[in-house]
Amino acid sequence: MQCHIGLDTLSLKHLGAASVTGLDFSPKAIAAARDFAMRAGTDARFVEAPVYDAPEVLGRTYDMVFVTWGAINWLDDIFRWARVVAALLRPGGRLYLLEGHPQMNQLEARNGKLELEYGWRTPGETPLAWNDSQTYTGDERQLTHTRCYEWIHPLSDIVNALIGAGLRIDFLNEHEIVVWRAFPDLVELGGEQFALPDSSPKIPLSFSIGATKP
């Protein structure tokens, strides 16, 4: 779900998945994903649709729902998202979610220090909002549409949303790494992983959840 340009989707296929489907609401992202699949000679299905519409649009259930890195922060309703996950899984199917940690998302870096800037839970009707002149990818071209909206979902809401949707939580892990330079002082560890320097108190920068549909 929220596959963007489909690189994780294609990687799962290359790792041995019998079939893969990627879903994203962006027509340009889906077009790029289909182009990558064509150039790689990889059989993959890519569907353009809002994530909340996924069960109706896809019309099937799956062994796994895979969601990683910068996905749920764009969603206003984590409980509705969890119900979508459950609807897409067949009995015995599993969710794997790997995301930036909500504690990290509350902080901003100023003068070499991390300062608490945002509340721990963002109400659905009042998202965090700002204007970004450039994309997070490092592309230096100026954006035409600069307005961004995001939501911070606490771990308790994410876990309770999945439980409420009928899923069994298999694990919840917190990690000291993230795969982008979320703050200027992060140290690159290799393998596109970043962590706080040894001189800094550690906080969780990401988390992973596994859940199963009984």
Side-chain angles (χ1 to χ4, degrees):
M1 296 204 305
Q2 298 165 269
C3 69
H4 196 216
I5 59 175
L7 299 186
D8 280 354
T9 312
L10 299 179
S11 293
L12 289 170
K13 177 66 173 177
H14 296 164
L15 287 168
S19 63
V20 291
T21 299
L23 178 135
D24 200 276
F25 81 127
S26 166
K28 290 187 177 181
I30 289 297
R34 289 170 177 160
D35 181 61
F36 280 126
M38 180 186 67
R39 288 193 278 158
T42 303
D43 183 18
R45 178 191 184 204
F46 288 102
V47 178
E48 177 194 333
V51 67
Y52 295 138
D53 296 342
E56 293 76 23
V57 172
L58 297 178
R60 66 182 70 172
T61 55
Y62 297 85
D63 294 320
M64 175 177 281
V65 168
F66 187 85
V67 183
T68 59
W69 299 129
I72 64 173
N73 55 297
W74 305 113
L75 302 178
D76 62 338
D77 190 339
I78 199 68
F79 290 85
R80 185 179 178 188
W81 170 86
R83 292 191 295 271
V84 169
V85 171
L88 288 172
L89 290 172
R90 58 178 58 109
R94 295 176 294 151
L95 164 72
Y96 180 75
L97 169 65
L98 176 62
E99 259 291 11
H101 200 285
Q103 184 175 352
M104 177 189 72
N105 292 335
Q106 288 185 258
L107 304 175
E108 290 284 2
R110 292 192 180 90
N111 301 317
K113 295 183 179 180
L114 296 181
E115 298 182 359
L116 186 64
E117 180 77 11
Y118 308 108
W120 73 303
R121 175 187 283 120
T122 309
E125 65 277 7
T126 54
L128 305 176
W130 54 83
N131 291 300
D132 283 336
S133 60
Q134 294 175 318
T135 177
Y136 58 83
T137 64
D139 191 322
E140 295 182 355
R141 289 175 294 179
Q142 296 295 302
L143 296 174
T144 302
H145 304 289
T146 61
R147 196 66 167 167
C148 292
Y149 299 97
E150 293 191 38
W151 288 261
I152 295 173
H153 304 291
L155 283 181
S156 57
D157 279 3
I158 298 167
V159 169
N160 287 324
L162 294 170
I163 293 172
L167 302 183
R168 182 189 70 232
I169 303 298
D170 299 321
F171 62 82
L172 166 59
N173 296 316
E174 296 173 290
H175 313 285
E176 293 182 357
I177 63 94
V178 71
V179 295
W180 66 93
R181 195 178 293 278
F183 306 117
D185 290 342
L186 291 189
V187 176
E188 188 167 4
L189 303 178
E192 298 183 347
Q193 295 185 0
F194 298 84
L196 287 164
D198 291 338
S199 58
S200 172
K202 297 297 190 289
I203 63 168
L205 298 179
S206 59
F207 71 95
S208 55
I209 290 179
T212 301
K213 183 172 184 176

